[in-house]
Amino acid sequence: MDIIRDVLDNQLVDRNQRKMGKVDGIVMELRDGEPPRLAYIEVGVTTLAKRLNPRLASLIAAIASKWGVKQSEPFRIPWSKVRDVGIDVEVDVEAEATPALGYEKWLRDRIIARIPGGR
């Protein structure tokens, strides 16, 4: 499997087929005398920003913290929770029970809820 092509930037869906963002990062574990092992996939705007520029990631994390976004750190999903890699990356987690939707919840509660007819 070509991990970068098949996993990175693909749609992530939970066990109920609810979209929970894109795979923003891949974390590998380096072990002495053994091949690298795929440990986690990461979801979070700071991980995506870090791929572009580390300073941008720091700036986004600081702004998110100042604005009250509860989850500015990336959310890691163990590779053992990945059920299928196809068009979507299916994971055995519940999207609403994870911090992966932190920005969406913040937008819903702070911005969309204030728009007439937003709820």
Side-chain angles (χ1 to χ4, degrees), residues 18 22 29 33 55 63-64 84 89 97:
R18 185 182 193 296
K22 302 266 185 175
E29 181 180 272
R55 285 189 218 145
I63 290 170
D84 186 37
V89 177

Side-chain angles (χ1 to χ4, degrees), residues 8-104:
L8 195 63
D9 294 327
N10 282 357
Q11 182 66 53
L12 190 61
V13 294
D14 74 354
R15 66 173 64 116
N16 300 317
Q17 298 300 305
R18 185 182 193 296
K19 292 180 180 180
M20 52 187 293
K22 302 266 185 175
V23 176
D24 296 316
I26 297 171
V27 179
M28 299 192 78
E29 181 180 272
L30 300 176
R31 304 172 292 175
D32 289 335
E34 295 184 42
R37 182 178 78 84
L38 198 54
Y40 302 97
I41 55 177
E42 283 188 340
V43 180
V45 71
T46 52
T47 299
L48 179 61
K50 192 181 292 183
R51 287 172 48 196
L52 299 173
N53 186 314
R55 285 189 218 145
L56 179 61
S58 298
L59 177 66
I60 288 174
I63 290 170
S65 177
K66 184 176 181 174
W67 285 356
V69 175
K70 292 180 181 152
Q71 181 64 26
S72 63
E73 291 297 314
F75 173 62
R76 286 187 171 181
I77 300 170
W79 183 254
S80 61
K81 296 284 187 181
V82 175
R83 295 190 334 197
D84 186 37
V85 175
I87 294 173
D88 297 330
V89 177
E90 296 181 27
V91 292
D92 191 23
V93 297
E94 185 78 32
E96 287 293 326
T98 69
L101 302 177
Y103 285 98
E104 287 86 349

